[in-house]
Amino acid sequence: MADAPEGTLPVPPTTAAQLTAAEKYQLVTQNLAEVLGGDQLKAILDERDLIAYWGTAPTGRPHLGYFVPLAKLADFLTASVEVKVLLADVHAFLDNLKAPIELVEARVDYYRRLITAVFRSLNLPLDKVKFVVGSSYQYTANYNLDKYKLTSITSEHDARKAGAEVVKQVSSPLLSGLLYPLLQALDEEYLGVDFQFGGVDQRKIFTYAEQYLPKIGYTKRSHLMNLMVPGLSGGKMSSSDPNSKIDFLDPPAVVKSKIQKAVCAPGEVEGNGVLAFIRHVVVPLGELFRGQGRASVRAWVGEGAPADAVFTVEGNPKFGGETHHFRSVDELEDAYAQNAVHPGDLKSACIAAINALLAPIQAEFNGSAEFQEAERRAYPPEVKPAAKKKEKKYTPKPEHLMTPEEKARQAEKDAAFAAKKQPKQGGLNETEQLREAVVDTLSQ
Amino acid sequence: MADAPEGTLPVPPTTAAQLTAAEKYQLVTQNLAEVLGGDQLKAILDERDLIAYWGTAPTGRPHLGYFVPLAKLADFLTASVEVKVLLADVHAFLDNLKAPIELVEARVDYYRRLITAVFRSLNLPLDKVKFVVGSSYQYTANYNLDKYKLTSITSEHDARKAGAEVVKQVSSPLLSGLLYPLLQALDEEYLGVDFQFGGVDQRKIFTYAEQYLPKIGYTKRSHLMNLMVPGLSGGKMSSSDPNSKIDFLDPPAVVKSKIQKAVCAPGEVEGNGVLAFIRHVVVPLGELFRGQGRASVRAWVGEGAPADAVFTVEGNPKFGGETHHFRSVDELEDAYAQNAVHPGDLKSACIAAINALLAPIQAEFNGSAEFQEAERRAYPPEVKPAAKKKEKKYTPKPEHLMTPEEKARQAEKDAAFAAKKQPKQGGLNETEQLREAVVDTLSQ
């Protein structure tokens, strides 16, 4: 397939219309950890296209880890699946008040804009993406009634078990956390979907839904789960470790700095966040681009690579390194395991790939005053407390003398310091604001 | 005060307008087990009249035990308190599905008619009574949001503790039961009341409300608790023992039969349901009537009694018994403890009192086709299963030869038999009916 001319984005994917039901099923279920209820999906695909649900609670800033599910959603969209993205403001609230109440609405807005920008950067058909805000239906009488219905057949034990891997575990569990799985089950019915997609950490919530929706007269949905991908510094990417988290708006120098600090032991594939990101995001998106006839957009495939190459690592000429083109991630990992690929070179290739993926998203952000305003409202700059600081014993390097990396590091330090000093917000006196926010949302 | 002429009911109580704040407070808090937040009520009474909340879940048939709180509500109404009666259909549903879903709406209607008839029989001002159906506001966005708010600060442990004495305890607690105390707390805010009234079995729910409402920015309410009154066969009157339960519609002969079977050991005052009923219902209502200038309505005060008598026991002439007029329940109980009052005579007096209290209510029921239809809808006659019965070995007594008591007993046996044979209704496929019922209610 010849490359589409550059600069024509967005264009509809050229493949979707020609896919058979079997090919669509293959696309929808590829690269997953587990599929529950695949036969049900096959049967539907014989009749019509699928409808999916993927939920995200608009709490902290969306980070690069979101590319993992979003890359999978790209498969769905390419297979003509209608993707319902639940911006789960109520869930955010239920999970131990992770999102400050007065910011929830602003964060819903920012998440929607950001996810849209990501899909646009991937040249995906946005008409198949439906954003739904949880509070738009989770406060209705019918939903409430169904929730009561589920509470009347769900024991505390089973609710706790279902939420164990998703809801923040505290010594004395809160009722809110116990309700969480019930809401997520009902969402499948109220969003009218054929399947829900999430990480394997959602498995117990998914099986809860499979077991309990039929008990209140609703259809059992299928469940598709992707692997948990390790973060760039090992562990879960959503952790509060700022070095593990690359923000969608991090400039290239910050991305470079963070990746250079990432855990990437020579020869170790297991738990290697850099390799995992290449496997689950970079290469699948490269395949997406190739399917869209835009193979040359792949900044991570070097010049002169063979037509079926998916990733290129250039050796540092300082050390006489040579350039490797890989035809699959397995090939890349094998080479890495045999120390044929240097971690520094792998990181450089990954930095280039990430920056290439982020560039169009950041371009959209930088070109939109509304997007910038949405970001500012969702994550207002931390106000440094007026508390006395220790007298500094040294003269800091003037800002104009700092490298971009040093500036970024200093900004992170400042932010971490401010976050530590910020008094804890209990959120207990903020009901009114959330109520107003919700009523606003409902009356739109 | 001279008696008002008979046959002029309903008339407004003649006393309320002349009561001082202190007298109103005295009336509102008299004969209670406990008052929490009395000072707050006193402060309000200096400004305006009080607003109260008493809730009842419309599940089984209302029985004579309801006279205990209703007699106390009569005090409130006499003290110009606005009484909000919550017909708690959602609570009924949450407490282990005690009310079959498709009957909840019909039972709400029957409870409202019956309680109204009771108040009318007591000559109380109905304009101060407001019936509120729980589902009319418990499915709204604001309520739901506040409920989520409470779930996010209430641990499973505290919710379980709060509901321990009220919610049916099962081996693995259901989430519905855990939510119950939260709803009851929120009701105080949403009903806009100054205090909630209930039995001392509600104490933990009341203290939960006192503790948690302020945490979400709402006023802490006062709580008034009456004693738990033993049932007529000992134990709680709401038990499923049919002999313990006298229905508001039981005809005089059935009342007589049930009271004659009541536990009423000679000389024993403690746990004596007959004495308890006289103390908590008959005598207080007699005082109410006297305050209304209708002392002669008191069928339980014999002819020739002194003006300050509150109860009369006539000795059976067969045994040469004499007639005692008592000036207080303490006097009656002392006499009973000293075996100066025969249990049979006490029962006869109590039977007469109950039938006198029930007569106007039953007259209203018998005179209203709507009331009868409401009862029929709320408690449809059990359909006997078509299952094979054992061949009877004897010829039963023909119905026309039975005494009224025998007929009543036979009817009870039949009902108990039918109830046993009735297949258990899980209520799991009935969401649609309840949803429709609720939506109907909401759209009225």
Side-chain angles (χ1 to χ4, degrees):
Chain A
M1 188 178 298
D3 260 26
E6 289 304 308
T8 58
L9 307 187
V11 297
T14 50
T15 50
Q18 299 113 37
L19 294 176
T20 65
E23 285 166 339
K24 285 176 180 173
Y25 181 78
Q26 162 59 21
L27 245 179
V28 165
T29 56
Q30 75 184 2
N31 299 329
L32 288 172
E34 191 172 1
V35 175
L36 295 174
D39 287 346
Q40 196 173 327
L41 295 185
K42 281 181 191 163
I44 297 168
L45 273 168
D46 286 338
E47 305 292 327
R48 59 167 171 80
D49 283 324
L50 297 172
I51 307 173
Y53 156 29
W54 175 71
T56 178
T59 54
R61 294 182 67 97
H63 54 77
L64 209 62
Y66 277 69
F67 253 130
V68 177
L70 292 176
K72 186 61 210 168
L73 293 185
D75 281 345
F76 299 161
L77 290 167
T78 305
S80 296
V81 175
E82 179 178 332
V83 173
K84 298 202 175 171
V85 175
L86 179 69
L87 298 167
D89 53 349
V90 176
H91 288 69
F93 175 66
L94 286 182
D95 188 6
N96 253 10
L97 300 173
K98 269 190 188 163
I101 287 172
E102 72 276 23
L103 295 181
V104 164
E105 202 194 5
R107 292 186 178 179
V108 161
D109 184 39
Y110 178 66
Y111 267 62
R112 177 170 37 208
R113 288 174 186 275
L114 186 83
I115 294 169
T116 303
V118 172
F119 284 146
R120 199 176 282 128
S121 80
L122 301 180
N123 207 31
L124 291 168
L126 284 172
D127 60 319
K128 285 286 200 178
V129 180
K130 303 270 183 289
F131 288 96
V132 184
V133 180
S135 56
S136 70
Y137 65 89
Q138 288 168 351
Y139 291 118
T140 63
N142 282 359
Y143 188 88
N144 211 345
L145 178 60
D146 280 336
K147 192 182 63 203
Y148 284 143
K149 190 86 200 162
L150 282 180
T151 66
S152 74
I153 56 172
T154 305
S155 74
E156 173 264 327
H157 171 266
D158 289 352
R160 195 193 293 222
K161 204 179 70 178
E165 288 186 40
V166 171
V167 178
K168 193 175 167 191
Q169 297 300 297
V170 290
S171 58
S172 177
L174 295 170
L175 293 190
S176 51
L178 294 174
L179 285 180
Y180 196 104
L182 284 64
L183 267 71
Q184 197 165 334
L186 281 182
D187 290 337
E188 296 181 351
E189 174 66 24
Y190 279 78
L191 294 172
V193 301
D194 302 311
F195 70 92
Q196 188 177 172
F197 164 66
V200 285
D201 58 339
Q202 310 276 322
R203 195 179 198 286
K204 285 175 183 166
I205 289 190
F206 288 172
T207 53
Y208 170 85
E210 294 195 4
Q211 195 183 344
Y212 280 82
L213 279 191
K215 287 189 184 181
I216 59 168
Y218 294 142
T219 312
K220 169 179 163 175
R221 268 52 180 215
S222 303
H223 291 96
L224 273 53
M225 287 163 263
N226 62 357
L227 281 167
M228 302 313 290
V229 178
L232 291 171
S233 51
K236 206 173 159 188
M237 208 182 299
S238 67
S239 80
S240 47
D241 172 7
N243 282 324
S244 156
K245 256 170 70 173
I246 291 176
D247 196 277
F248 276 98
L249 302 183
D250 276 345
V254 175
V255 170
K256 184 178 177 186
S257 154
K258 287 181 178 174
I259 294 290
Q260 278 171 345
K261 281 181 269 178
V263 173
C264 185
E268 271 187 31
V269 171
E270 192 71 25
N272 186 318
V274 177
L275 280 173
F277 188 77
I278 293 167
R279 172 179 286 280
H280 290 283
V281 176
V282 178
V283 170
L285 292 182
E287 292 304 284
L288 174 73
F289 294 165
R290 183 149 65 179
Q292 293 170 346
R294 306 190 300 129
S296 65
V297 176
R298 302 172 305 165
W300 48 89
V301 178
E303 282 186 22
D308 55 352
V310 298
F311 199 78
T312 298
V313 180
E314 290 178 18
N316 189 328
K318 270 201 272 184
F319 309 109
E322 40 180 316
T323 292
H324 295 277
H325 302 294
F326 298 100
R327 287 181 171 78
S328 70
V329 181
D330 288 344
E331 234 181 50
L332 166 64
E333 288 184 352
D334 285 347
Y336 191 80
Q338 291 156 27
N339 288 307
V341 171
H342 187 271
D345 296 340
L346 183 72
K347 282 182 173 181
S348 296
C350 191
I351 289 164
I354 291 172
N355 284 332
L357 289 173
L358 295 183
I361 299 162
Q362 295 182 0
E364 179 168 336
F365 178 81
N366 292 326
S368 162
E370 290 95 352
F371 200 167
Q372 290 166 38
E373 170 65 13
E375 191 267 349
R376 203 199 53 73
R377 282 182 59 233
Y379 303 96
E382 305 257 16
V383 180
K384 290 195 186 175
K388 271 186 196 171
K389 285 185 184 176
K390 271 189 190 170
E391 285 291 332
K392 282 189 178 178
K393 294 270 161 60
Y394 64 96
T395 310
K397 195 173 187 178
E399 201 184 338
H400 68 275
L401 293 181
M402 287 183 182
T403 65
E405 285 90 331
E406 284 169 334
K407 274 188 199 170
R409 221 168 295 143
Q410 190 58 43
E412 266 176 42
K413 275 188 195 165
D414 290 346
F417 177 77
K420 256 190 195 159
K421 289 290 173 190
Q422 191 76 352
K424 276 222 164 176
Q425 305 239 345
L428 297 186
N429 299 312
E430 294 151 356
T431 314
E432 277 309 319
Q433 291 100 305
L434 179 55
R435 173 175 311 126
E436 278 161 25
V438 169
V439 170
D440 279 0
T441 306
L442 290 174
S443 57
Q444 268 166 16
Chain B
M1 188 178 299
D3 261 24
E6 288 304 308
T8 58
L9 307 188
V11 297
T14 51
T15 50
Q18 299 113 36
L19 295 175
T20 65
E23 285 166 339
K24 284 177 181 174
Y25 182 77
Q26 161 60 20
L27 245 181
V28 164
T29 56
Q30 75 185 3
N31 299 329
L32 288 172
E34 191 172 0
V35 175
L36 296 173
D39 287 346
Q40 196 173 328
L41 295 185
K42 281 181 191 161
I44 297 167
L45 273 169
D46 286 338
E47 305 291 327
R48 59 166 171 80
D49 283 324
L50 297 171
I51 308 173
Y53 155 29
W54 175 70
T56 178
T59 53
R61 294 183 68 98
H63 53 78
L64 209 62
Y66 277 70
F67 253 130
V68 177
L70 293 177
K72 186 61 210 167
L73 294 185
D75 282 345
F76 299 160
L77 290 168
T78 305
S80 296
V81 176
E82 179 177 332
V83 173
K84 298 202 176 174
V85 175
L86 178 69
L87 298 166
D89 53 348
V90 176
H91 288 69
F93 175 66
L94 286 182
D95 189 5
N96 254 10
L97 299 174
K98 269 189 188 164
I101 287 173
E102 72 276 23
L103 294 181
V104 164
E105 202 194 5
R107 291 185 179 179
V108 162
D109 184 39
Y110 178 65
Y111 268 62
R112 177 168 38 207
R113 288 173 185 275
L114 185 83
I115 294 169
T116 302
V118 172
F119 284 146
R120 200 176 281 129
S121 79
L122 301 179
N123 208 30
L124 292 167
L126 284 172
D127 60 319
K128 285 285 201 180
V129 180
K130 303 269 183 290
F131 289 97
V132 183
V133 181
S135 56
S136 69
Y137 65 88
Q138 288 168 350
Y139 291 119
T140 63
N142 282 358
Y143 188 88
N144 211 345
L145 178 60
D146 280 335
K147 193 182 63 203
Y148 284 142
K149 190 86 200 162
L150 283 180
T151 66
S152 74
I153 56 172
T154 305
S155 73
E156 173 264 326
H157 171 265
D158 290 352
R160 195 194 292 222
K161 203 179 71 177
E165 288 185 41
V166 171
V167 177
K168 193 174 167 192
Q169 297 299 297
V170 290
S171 58
S172 177
L174 295 171
L175 293 190
S176 51
L178 293 174
L179 285 180
Y180 195 105
L182 284 65
L183 268 71
Q184 197 166 333
L186 281 181
D187 290 338
E188 295 181 351
E189 173 67 25
Y190 280 77
L191 293 172
V193 301
D194 302 311
F195 70 92
Q196 188 177 172
F197 164 66
V200 285
D201 58 339
Q202 310 276 322
R203 194 178 198 286
K204 286 175 183 166
I205 288 190
F206 289 172
T207 53
Y208 170 85
E210 294 195 4
Q211 196 183 345
Y212 280 82
L213 278 191
K215 288 189 184 180
I216 59 169
Y218 293 142
T219 312
K220 169 178 162 174
R221 269 52 180 216
S222 303
H223 291 96
L224 274 53
M225 287 163 263
N226 62 356
L227 282 167
M228 301 314 289
V229 178
L232 292 170
S233 51
K236 206 173 160 190
M237 208 181 298
S238 67
S239 80
S240 48
D241 172 7
N243 282 325
S244 156
K245 256 169 70 174
I246 291 176
D247 197 276
F248 277 98
L249 301 183
D250 275 344
V254 175
V255 170
K256 184 178 178 186
S257 153
K258 287 181 178 174
I259 295 290
Q260 279 171 344
K261 281 181 270 179
V263 173
C264 184
E268 271 188 32
V269 172
E270 193 71 25
N272 185 319
V274 176
L275 279 171
F277 188 79
I278 293 167
R279 173 179 285 279
H280 290 282
V281 177
V282 178
V283 170
L285 291 182
E287 292 303 286
L288 174 73
F289 294 165
R290 183 149 62 179
Q292 293 170 346
R294 307 191 299 130
S296 66
V297 176
R298 302 172 305 165
W300 48 89
V301 178
E303 283 186 22
D308 56 353
V310 298
F311 199 78
T312 299
V313 180
E314 289 178 17
N316 189 329
K318 270 200 272 186
F319 308 109
E322 39 179 318
T323 292
H324 296 276
H325 302 293
F326 298 100
R327 287 180 171 79
S328 71
V329 182
D330 288 344
E331 233 181 49
L332 166 64
E333 287 184 353
D334 286 348
Y336 192 80
Q338 290 155 29
N339 288 308
V341 170
H342 187 270
D345 296 341
L346 183 72
K347 283 182 173 181
S348 295
C350 191
I351 290 163
I354 292 171
N355 284 333
L357 289 172
L358 295 183
I361 299 161
Q362 295 182 0
E364 179 168 335
F365 179 81
N366 292 327
S368 163
E370 289 95 352
F371 201 167
Q372 290 166 39
E373 170 65 12
E375 190 266 349
R376 203 198 54 72
R377 282 182 60 234
Y379 304 96
E382 305 257 17
V383 180
K384 288 193 188 176
K388 270 186 197 172
K389 285 184 183 176
K390 270 188 192 171
E391 284 292 332
K392 282 189 176 177
K393 294 268 161 57
Y394 63 95
T395 310
K397 194 173 187 179
E399 202 184 336
H400 66 275
L401 293 182
M402 287 183 182
T403 65
E405 287 90 331
E406 283 170 334
K407 275 187 199 172
R409 221 168 296 143
Q410 188 59 42
E412 265 177 42
K413 274 188 195 164
D414 289 347
F417 176 77
K420 256 190 195 158
K421 290 289 174 190
Q422 191 77 352
K424 276 222 162 172
Q425 304 239 344
L428 298 187
N429 299 312
E430 294 151 357
T431 314
E432 277 308 318
Q433 291 101 305
L434 179 54
R435 173 175 309 128
E436 279 162 24
V438 169
V439 171
D440 279 0
T441 306
L442 291 174
S443 57
Q444 268 166 18

